[in-house]
Amino acid sequence: REVRRPALFIHLLKAFGRKALKSMKLHPDGAHGRSKFWFSNLLSIAFMGWVVLLSSTGCQNNSSTETQQVQTHTTAKTEIKYAKGFNITYHDHYKIVTMGNLFDSSATSTRYILLDRGQAIPEAYKNDVIIEIPIRSIVAMSSMYIGLLELLESESILTGLSDLQYVYSEKVIQMIEAGKVAELGHDNSINQEKLVSLHPDLVMTIGSPNTTINQFPILQAAHIPVMMNSEWVETTPLARAEWVKLMAA
């Protein structure tokens, strides 16, 4: 029997893929009760679409004489209402992202400085993780982040993935076929030399109880910032959807 799906859900399926939606308990094939599925997930789907519309207005298109790149960066201020894993504060030429530890509330928070490109690093934050914005290239260590880039219309900045197998974005598939996205491996099997050769503006990896920014000394030595994304630990769909605001910052 044919399962009818709303247009927004079709878009989410294309953006995140079947495996990703199943991990969010959004069942593409309508398993576990079709009626229960639609009513229990309607709010989260609608909110995600609303968050995306707000965030995508901040994306900017920057062109050069050689190529045009779409970058995930906005000067607009946003309020974090539901997510517990991060917060953003705004300053003249930089933003401060404070990333809490969702696995251990007693652990020290990690601070990232999103610095306007070309500006001097504030003296008080020279020992923190510095990320120059707008980001021109990113390596994603999870295919989940492709969905965030696609919703922000910023797939073109993607230069590397941990695994090319679970990719459902048509545009990213075309980029892979054109040799524009490298496969880098998982966890201890990450090809760090290849990653360093790409020298992305940011590596986004999955946050876990055993993951710290200090476990990537080769990347630190190469001045490649690593950001841990722990959206999967958030306890509500609203909180998980709100992590798109971090990508848009």
Side-chain angles (χ1 to χ4, degrees):
R1 186 168 119 185
E2 182 183 359
V3 178
R4 296 181 180 274
R5 306 180 181 114
L8 178 57
F9 184 77
I10 295 294
H11 181 73
L12 291 175
L13 178 60
K14 289 181 179 179
F16 291 94
R18 290 174 176 268
K19 184 176 181 181
L21 291 184
K22 286 180 180 178
S23 72
M24 291 190 286
K25 298 180 181 180
L26 303 179
H27 301 280
D29 296 315
H32 309 296
R34 293 181 175 85
S35 298
K36 182 179 179 181
F37 160 74
W38 291 120
F39 285 103
S40 64
N41 291 292
L42 180 60
L43 179 61
S44 62
I45 293 174
F47 181 77
M48 182 175 287
W50 175 75
V51 168
V52 167
L53 287 175
L54 288 182
S55 301
S56 62
T57 57
C59 293
Q60 299 176 339
N61 293 347
N62 292 338
S63 59
S64 65
T65 56
E66 296 181 357
T67 185
Q68 184 175 9
Q69 291 182 322
V70 183
Q71 299 154 339
T72 58
H73 170 59
T74 175
T75 56
K77 295 182 179 180
T78 185
E79 180 182 358
I80 309 303
K81 296 182 179 180
Y82 304 99
K84 305 298 182 183
F86 75 98
N87 190 40
I88 305 174
T89 59
Y90 297 83
H91 306 270
D92 286 343
H93 300 296
Y94 61 94
K95 307 166 189 176
I96 298 177
V97 174
T98 303
M99 196 85 69
N101 190 320
L102 292 175
F103 308 97
D104 182 3
S105 59
S106 64
T108 303
S109 299
T110 303
R111 192 162 57 190
Y112 301 88
I113 309 302
L114 309 186
L115 183 67
D116 288 349
R117 193 169 297 280
Q119 297 292 326
I121 301 173
E123 190 67 32
Y125 304 116
K126 287 193 172 181
N127 293 326
D128 293 305
V129 180
I130 307 298
I131 302 171
E132 286 193 297
I133 56 175
I135 292 173
R136 301 166 300 185
S137 59
I138 185 172
V139 165
M141 303 312 295
S142 169
S143 58
M144 279 289 295
Y145 309 143
I146 296 175
L148 300 180
L149 291 171
E150 186 172 39
L151 291 168
L152 296 172
E153 299 182 352
S154 300
E155 306 98 311
S156 61
I157 68 172
L158 182 67
T159 57
L161 283 168
S162 58
D163 193 329
L164 304 183
Q165 182 177 359
Y166 300 108
V167 177
Y168 298 88
S169 163
E170 293 181 5
K171 185 170 182 179
V172 174
I173 290 173
Q174 292 174 359
M175 292 168 60
I176 292 171
E177 293 173 347
K180 296 180 179 179
V181 179
E183 186 171 30
L184 299 165
H186 294 275
D187 303 323
N188 295 330
S189 64
I190 292 176
N191 188 334
Q192 295 197 47
E193 291 183 359
K194 190 173 184 179
L195 180 49
V196 169
S197 70
L198 294 176
H199 210 284
D201 288 340
L202 177 65
V203 174
M204 183 167 283
T205 188
I206 301 173
S208 71
N210 300 320
T211 303
T212 68
I213 58 175
N214 295 324
Q215 75 181 66
F216 303 100
I218 295 178
L219 301 185
Q220 288 181 313
H223 302 289
I224 298 174
V226 177
M227 176 177 279
M228 293 175 292
N229 186 321
S230 300
E231 59 83 18
W232 66 275
V233 189
E234 298 281 0
T235 56
T236 69
L238 297 177
R240 294 189 66 179
E242 201 163 35
W243 279 72
V244 74
K245 294 181 179 179
L246 176 63
M247 185 70 82

